[in-house]
Amino acid sequence: GAGVSQSPSNKVTEKGKDVELRCDPISGHTALYWYRQSLGQGLEFLIYFQGNSAPDKSGLPSDRFSAERTGGSVSTLTIQRTQQEDSAVYLCASSSPPGERQYFGPGTRLTVT
Amino acid sequence: KQEVTQIPAALSVPEGENLVLNCSFTDSAIYNLQWFRQDPGKGLTSLLLIQSSQREQTSGRLNASLDKSSGRSTLYIAASQPGDSATYLCAVRPGSGGSNYKLTFGKGTLLTVNP
């Protein structure tokens, strides 16, 4: 079946603008995860959803970051007032059941100029 | 705080060679450990997942071992091929289990297999 998809694949935005990144998980996967991959920083966990609720938001770097998931499917990661340090690849993954093997999307490369 | 280290950071081998990638973690209380592969500009592909109660997992030419007490895992690749060239990452899930699904990743080993 189809894998995890993310859009857009690339996004260039000006500092101070808001951006929305979208993730479509594998159909039927109840758990959804967002990660950020920066040069030199490696991969860091941002947030996890079980269904539409987010029991773990501990990785969100600041209150400019928020995420939601609707219908137990699509998720949107929103970054408000983007800063240059937000430039990174944002990866989404899904799994079922939660905690088991995670399947990753191709990522969204965000560049803040 | 869990820290995951991968050694070496980069490895270049001739085609056909057997090789070992290393992963170590500071907190041995893990629930499971995964090895991933990442191709340039692409997402991650899960290769193997080892539960904390297991010692190893095998898939084709790949074999991953886990020594939880010493905080180590290895990924063995047999008869390497140029198509194996990629970055290999390991990640651990906390041993508290439950609803704690936050993976901690190493920074990866960049493998190049030369024809």
Side-chain angles (χ1 to χ4, degrees), chain A residues 37 40 48 99-101 104-105, chain B residues 38 43-44 46 51 101 107:
Chain A
Q37 189 172 33
Y48 150 71
E100 295 308 318
R101 183 173 294 200
F104 279 75
Chain B
Q38 186 172 31
L44 279 65
S46 179
Q51 302 292 350
Y101 305 121
K107 293 192 176 181

Side-chain angles (χ1 to χ4, degrees), chain B residues 39-102:
Chain B
D39 293 282
K42 303 283 180 63
L44 279 65
T45 300
S46 179
L47 299 172
L48 291 162
L49 182 149
I50 311 178
Q51 302 292 350
S52 61
S53 58
Q54 297 175 321
R55 298 284 295 187
E56 65 178 330
Q57 281 285 333
T58 298
S59 176
R61 294 182 294 107
L62 305 179
N63 175 276
S65 68
L66 174 64
D67 184 343
K68 199 175 80 161
S69 61
S70 67
R72 294 176 186 272
S73 176
T74 62
L75 179 66
Y76 175 83
I77 303 177
S80 58
Q81 303 170 358
D84 295 330
S85 297
T87 297
Y88 290 81
L89 298 116
C90 72
V92 298
R93 179 186 166 193
S96 53
S99 61
N100 191 343
Y101 305 121
K102 175 180 175 178

Side-chain angles (χ1 to χ4, degrees), chain A residues 23-83:
Chain A
C23 172
D24 279 274
I26 291 173
S27 178
H29 278 195
T30 57
L32 186 147
Y33 316 79
W34 283 98
Y35 296 87
R36 178 168 73 173
Q37 189 172 33
S38 309
L39 270 175
Q41 296 283 343
L43 248 154
E44 56 177 327
F45 168 86
L46 296 178
I47 190 170
Y48 150 71
F49 286 92
Q50 172 58 28
N52 291 334
S53 64
D56 189 348
K57 303 180 182 179
S58 62
L60 292 177
S62 76
D63 59 8
R64 295 185 296 104
F65 287 71
S66 63
E68 65 174 12
R69 189 179 185 195
T70 56
S73 181
V74 172
S75 176
T76 303
L77 177 68
T78 301
I79 310 174
Q80 296 179 309
R81 304 181 303 282
T82 51
Q83 303 294 313

Side-chain angles (χ1 to χ4, degrees), chain A residues 77-98:
Chain A
L77 177 68
T78 301
I79 310 174
Q80 296 179 309
R81 304 181 303 282
T82 51
Q83 303 294 313
Q84 287 187 330
E85 61 262 29
D86 300 334
S87 296
V89 176
Y90 290 81
L91 292 163
C92 173
S94 68
S95 72
S96 191

